[in-house]
Amino acid sequence: MANEAASSASSSVLRIEGDEDELFDGSEAGWVEARTSCDHLASLSSDLTHIPTPDSHCNRCQHPNENWLCLCCKDVLCSRFINKHMLEHYQETNHCLALGYSDLSVWCFSCDAYLDAQVIVTLRPLYETAYFLKFGEAPPFRTVEYLQVGNIEAQNSTSDK
């Protein structure tokens, strides 16, 4: 069987060729690839270097865990696994971008996808601030060169066949 990697700006797919072509995107195994672009970044708050701390409680129910920061208005609200206050906030206000304090992931409700805060330049300062507030040190960033090397290696492996 020959393997080929196909990628786009928002996802990667593994194609396994055999009797029947099958596509594996990793989602069945719980793997999710964050998008490297989003059309909704213009709605970000103008000041995301001054944010509430990761131990902030939900503004509506005061729950201490699984909270998200609205990246449009900076409200802290609980996740869909607690009382769904961040989801309700999105539905009420259309504020679609949020940072999860538990794992520092960025979610776009409108795109229904995670965003790569280390690759999207406008999200890097936010990610760095949240990481510092949570862990007390600067985050280790993946470099653009690292990402480009991965793409070059994938291209070389398919051209060798």
Side-chain angles (χ1 to χ4, degrees), residues 6-13 33 36:
S7 64
S8 70
S10 62
S11 66
S12 293
V13 175
E33 182 155 340
T36 57

Side-chain angles (χ1 to χ4, degrees), residues 21-59:
D21 282 349
E22 295 183 44
L23 295 178
F24 294 95
D25 65 4
S27 61
E28 292 177 15
W31 170 69
V32 177
E33 182 155 340
R35 293 176 53 115
T36 57
S37 65
C38 173
D39 293 335
H40 307 98
L41 296 174
S43 66
L44 288 170
S45 169
S46 60
D47 179 19
L48 289 174
T49 55
H50 298 93
I51 59 173
T53 59
D55 61 352
S56 297
H57 293 199
C58 175
N59 290 343

Side-chain angles (χ1 to χ4, degrees), residues 8-156:
S8 70
S10 62
S11 66
S12 293
V13 175
L14 177 66
R15 180 182 297 277
I16 299 181
E17 296 177 11
D19 293 337
E20 296 179 28
D21 282 349
E22 295 183 44
L23 295 178
F24 294 95
D25 65 4
S27 61
E28 292 177 15
W31 170 69
V32 177
E33 182 155 340
R35 293 176 53 115
T36 57
S37 65
C38 173
D39 293 335
H40 307 98
L41 296 174
S43 66
L44 288 170
S45 169
S46 60
D47 179 19
L48 289 174
T49 55
H50 298 93
I51 59 173
T53 59
D55 61 352
S56 297
H57 293 199
C58 175
N59 290 343
R60 293 187 188 173
C61 69
Q62 299 306 309
H63 198 280
N65 300 321
E66 285 289 324
N67 290 314
W68 288 73
L69 171 68
C70 175
L71 299 181
C72 303
C73 69
K74 300 200 270 188
D75 271 352
V76 176
L77 301 160
C78 62
S79 79
R80 63 183 79 208
F81 301 111
I82 305 296
N83 292 316
K84 299 180 173 73
H85 288 138
M86 182 55 76
L87 179 60
E88 290 173 3
H89 179 70
Y90 161 66
Q91 293 166 341
E92 294 164 359
T93 65
N94 206 32
H95 290 177
C96 60
L97 299 167
L99 171 84
Y101 276 136
S102 60
D103 62 0
L104 303 183
S105 60
V106 176
W107 178 259
C108 178
F109 285 95
S110 295
C111 293
D112 195 28
Y114 286 102
L115 305 180
D116 194 328
Q118 294 182 42
V119 173
I120 300 173
V121 175
T122 55
L123 293 176
R124 279 187 188 178
L126 162 72
Y127 179 79
E128 187 172 58
T129 299
Y131 191 99
F132 185 82
L133 289 171
K134 184 168 180 142
F135 299 110
E137 60 186 43
F141 280 111
R142 297 182 320 229
T143 64
V144 173
E145 293 83 14
Y146 171 79
L147 296 172
Q148 290 173 341
V149 166
N151 289 336
I152 291 169
E153 289 173 353
Q155 290 172 353
N156 287 342

